[in-house]
Amino acid sequence: MPINAGPTYFVAEKKFLEARTREEKIAALEEMIRTIPKHKGSEKQLALLRKRLANLRKQKSGRATARPKFIIRKTGSAQVCILGMTKSGKSSLLNVLTGVNVEVGDYPYTTKEPNVAMMNFGDVQIQLVEIPAMFDPESMSILYTCDEILVLLDGSEDVDRQEKEIKKMLSGMRLSNKKMLFVVNKSDLEESKSKYLQISAKVKIGLEELKERIWSGLGLIRVYTKPPGKPKIIPPITLPMRSTVRDVAENVHKDFLKDFKFARIFNNSRFSGSHVGLHLLIFHFHPLLFPSIPFFYI
Ligand SMILES: Nc1nc2c(ncn2[C@@H]2O[C@H](COP(=O)(O)OP(=O)(O)OP(=O)(O)O)[C@@H](O)[C@H]2O)c(=O)[nH]1
Ligand SMILES: [Mg+2]
């Protein structure tokens, strides 16, 4: 149910989003509670604001986002956070990319705790984390340790304004240098003039392209290993770009290095099938990175 808030509420909400200290957050939340319309449709939201205020009052004073409060245990090859304003479609996207079924709502702030699910991409598992749009410090702290931030902009609202606000927030957290991917959702409703990838989580537009961009943004390579006469091993090893044969060998087993004579590498380059040594940068053999697949034969 819509809360039909007036402009004073949204000004207070903006202050809350931009607040850097606990004191600023408390002041902004108090203003939001004062200005939110009081009716049945806003009850849930009001309760949430009150709870958040009570929690903030309990915390020690200082920078609200200075230190990670908790870390979701990373699993898979990488962790990617989905960040965006409320109702931009973060939960819908998480559901459609991973096959889970977290709550999607037509009212703001449906997601109150981070949602976590695994996305499969070409034999690799990537952990996706939806960051609740209240941008509370506990959830936001995950951004410090994740590998990439997918910023989901709502194409049915002012995209430039959202982009500006999120960039400002991330720069306030000193996260401007993090790997970031901006995407515009709800392209089924209207075509945005934005330069970013347009998708629709609801009617499944642009999702394959999105998966590839998430993957390429991570700067990883996949290496399938293959013992002689046996099929390739799935899942592949994932390593940072410009890793060497030594990195692969170490990843397989430390003992590999002791008896290492050579490896054979197979991909779609003219060097395919060559014997190679430990110092070879896999990157050199891998101009396309995706979808070419090297096999190691040791
Ligand atoms: N038309 C359209 N609606 C969408 C799309 N993606 C999400 N929605 C709708 O937008 C509303 C919000 O979706 P959610 O996935 O809950 O958004 P959210 O960003 O997780 O929202 P909060 O957790 O509440 O901050 C729901 O009514 C969705 O059905 C889309 O691609 N197109
Ligand atoms: Mg959500």
Side-chain angles (χ1 to χ4, degrees):
M1 204 183 287
I3 63 169
N4 291 327
T8 48
Y9 175 81
F10 289 110
V11 170
E13 185 183 57
K14 187 162 184 287
K15 278 190 200 157
F16 176 76
L17 298 180
E18 289 171 359
R20 299 264 63 87
T21 65
R22 170 183 165 269
E23 288 72 20
E24 284 169 5
K25 282 200 180 269
I26 288 178
L29 270 175
E30 284 172 343
E31 215 172 314
M32 285 170 80
I33 290 170
R34 235 189 346 268
T35 53
I36 192 169
K38 312 287 186 305
H39 55 70
K40 187 117 193 76
S42 65
E43 270 171 11
K44 244 185 170 176
Q45 175 67 358
L46 185 58
L48 178 74
L49 293 175
R50 287 194 172 127
K51 189 169 166 217
R52 215 163 278 286
L53 180 62
N55 286 342
L56 271 175
R57 282 184 173 142
K58 272 189 245 154
Q59 283 172 18
K60 289 192 185 131
S61 67
R63 276 180 75 85
T65 54
R67 217 161 358 111
K69 285 266 168 41
F70 62 81
I71 295 168
I72 290 176
R73 205 173 69 81
K74 281 190 183 185
T75 55
S77 296
Q79 186 187 59
V80 177
C81 285
I82 307 176
L83 181 71
M85 298 300 177
T86 187
K87 288 178 72 180
S88 58
K90 301 177 294 300
S91 299
S92 306
L93 184 63
L94 187 82
N95 287 343
V96 76
L97 290 181
T98 68
V100 290
N101 189 21
V102 304
E103 190 184 354
V104 167
D106 196 21
Y107 49 88
Y109 307 108
T110 306
T111 303
K112 294 171 184 64
E113 304 279 337
N115 284 318
V116 185
M118 301 305 290
M119 174 179 92
N120 189 51
F121 179 79
D123 297 333
V124 172
Q125 293 284 309
I126 296 170
Q127 186 182 48
L128 301 184
V129 183
E130 175 187 3
I131 304 293
M134 284 303 289
F135 306 135
D136 58 287
E138 288 87 345
S139 307
M140 292 295 275
S141 68
I142 304 166
L143 298 176
Y144 287 106
T145 51
C146 74
D147 301 298
E148 186 180 13
I149 302 174
L150 189 170
V151 179
L152 193 66
L153 305 167
D154 186 338
S156 68
E157 301 282 340
D158 184 341
V159 166
D160 292 341
R161 188 183 61 81
Q162 296 166 61
E163 179 185 352
K164 244 198 225 150
E165 286 188 11
I166 287 182
K167 281 187 173 163
K168 192 169 167 193
M169 192 163 66
L170 292 175
S171 113
M173 292 172 71
R174 301 205 173 90
L175 280 170
S176 302
N177 291 332
K178 200 96 191 169
K179 286 171 188 159
M180 256 182 256
L181 173 63
F182 284 81
V183 179
V184 181
N185 190 29
K186 306 195 186 177
S187 69
D188 55 305
L189 292 181
E190 51 194 286
E191 194 148 336
S192 146
K193 289 188 191 74
S194 168
K195 57 183 180 227
Y196 299 123
L197 176 68
Q198 316 268 327
I199 64 155
S200 168
K202 196 169 185 175
V203 302
K204 302 187 184 169
I205 300 172
L207 299 180
E208 284 313 308
E209 170 80 21
L210 173 62
K211 282 185 174 188
E212 289 195 18
R213 290 207 195 179
I214 292 173
W215 170 254
S216 60
L218 289 167
L220 297 174
I221 49 172
R222 298 175 307 163
V223 179
Y224 291 83
T225 55
K226 181 181 130 40
K230 298 223 172 96
K232 67 175 177 176
I233 295 170
I234 296 174
I237 297 167
T238 48
L239 291 167
M241 236 177 249
R242 303 191 68 79
S243 294
T244 60
V245 170
R246 174 186 288 275
D247 297 320
V248 178
E250 276 179 345
N251 202 293
V252 175
H253 202 285
K254 283 265 178 291
D255 287 353
F256 259 41
L257 281 179
K258 273 197 288 173
D259 308 322
F260 181 90
K261 291 191 185 65
F262 63 85
R264 286 183 75 199
I265 188 164
F266 295 89
N267 60 11
N268 59 5
S269 79
R270 67 192 165 94
F271 301 105
S272 187
S274 318
H275 288 204
V276 296
L278 285 177
H279 300 299
L280 176 95
L281 278 173
I282 296 164
F283 185 72
H284 285 159
F285 273 73
H286 221 256
L288 293 175
L289 293 170
F290 182 83
S292 71
I293 303 171
F295 298 93
F296 274 79
Y297 173 106
I298 296 183

